[in-house]
Amino acid sequence: MGMWSTALERRRRGRGRPRQRGQSLVEFALVFPLFILLLAGMIDFGLGLYSYMTINNATRDSARLGATMCTANPCAAAVSARAVNAASGLAIEPPVVACTTPANASVNCASGTIKPGDNVTVTITYNYKMIWPLGFGTVIPMTSSMKMLAD
């Protein structure tokens, strides 16, 4: 009797293993697309955050240049070039550079007639194109604006 019970137990254990392998394959097939979707979302979020931080830094850098340089030279072209160079990893369009007095009257940034105490505002707009659109379109518009007081 002991011999038959061990052979029967071996048969029963042998039957259970192929089913478990098939079960693992089905579980993998169900979880794998969710894992890929999660990974794609993390990559896209990281690239989007990098783009946003890049345009913020480019705006800050170019506004600071305009606030320190505009009192002496014509600066709108130099400020635009600084912003484009600071965001060299992104294909941004030249930013909008505006200069105003404390009373919010417009001043010509291109002529260099801005005085200490006037404001230099730089605005950069960038359209981030998603790699994997995950439900809210393929383009996310990003805008960064910085206002600094001229020295």
Side-chain angles (χ1 to χ4, degrees):
M1 179 96 174
M3 183 175 160
W4 288 104
S5 63
T6 55
L8 185 61
E9 285 176 20
R10 274 190 239 142
R11 264 195 238 151
R12 284 184 185 162
R13 276 188 265 151
R15 286 184 197 158
R17 287 189 181 144
R19 287 184 184 167
Q20 287 177 352
R21 275 190 257 145
Q23 179 184 357
S24 299
L25 185 63
V26 170
E27 288 174 357
F28 177 76
L30 291 174
V31 172
F32 186 69
L34 296 174
F35 174 73
I36 293 298
L37 186 65
L38 184 65
L39 184 65
M42 287 190 304
I43 291 170
D44 238 351
F45 178 77
L47 291 173
L49 185 62
Y50 169 78
S51 299
Y52 185 70
M53 289 178 4
T54 300
I55 65 168
N56 270 343
N57 289 335
T59 305
R60 186 180 310 114
D61 190 30
S62 58
R64 183 67 188 147
L65 176 71
T68 57
M69 186 183 125
C70 276
T71 56
N73 323 16
C75 68
V79 169
S80 287
R82 172 69 67 96
V84 170
N85 287 338
S88 63
L90 307 175
I92 66 168
E93 296 178 11
V96 176
V97 181
C99 300
T100 57
T101 63
N104 286 330
S106 181
V107 178
N108 187 1
C109 291
S111 68
T113 57
I114 187 168
K115 298 174 191 66
D118 291 347
N119 295 316
V120 177
T121 305
V122 177
T123 304
I124 295 177
T125 303
Y126 176 69
N127 290 322
Y128 172 68
K129 293 172 185 66
M130 296 180 66
I131 297 171
W132 296 285
L134 298 175
F136 37 85
T138 59
V139 175
I140 299 175
M142 297 179 179
T143 302
S144 177
S145 185
M146 180 66 63
K147 181 192 287 188
M148 289 203 176
L149 198 63
D151 291 341

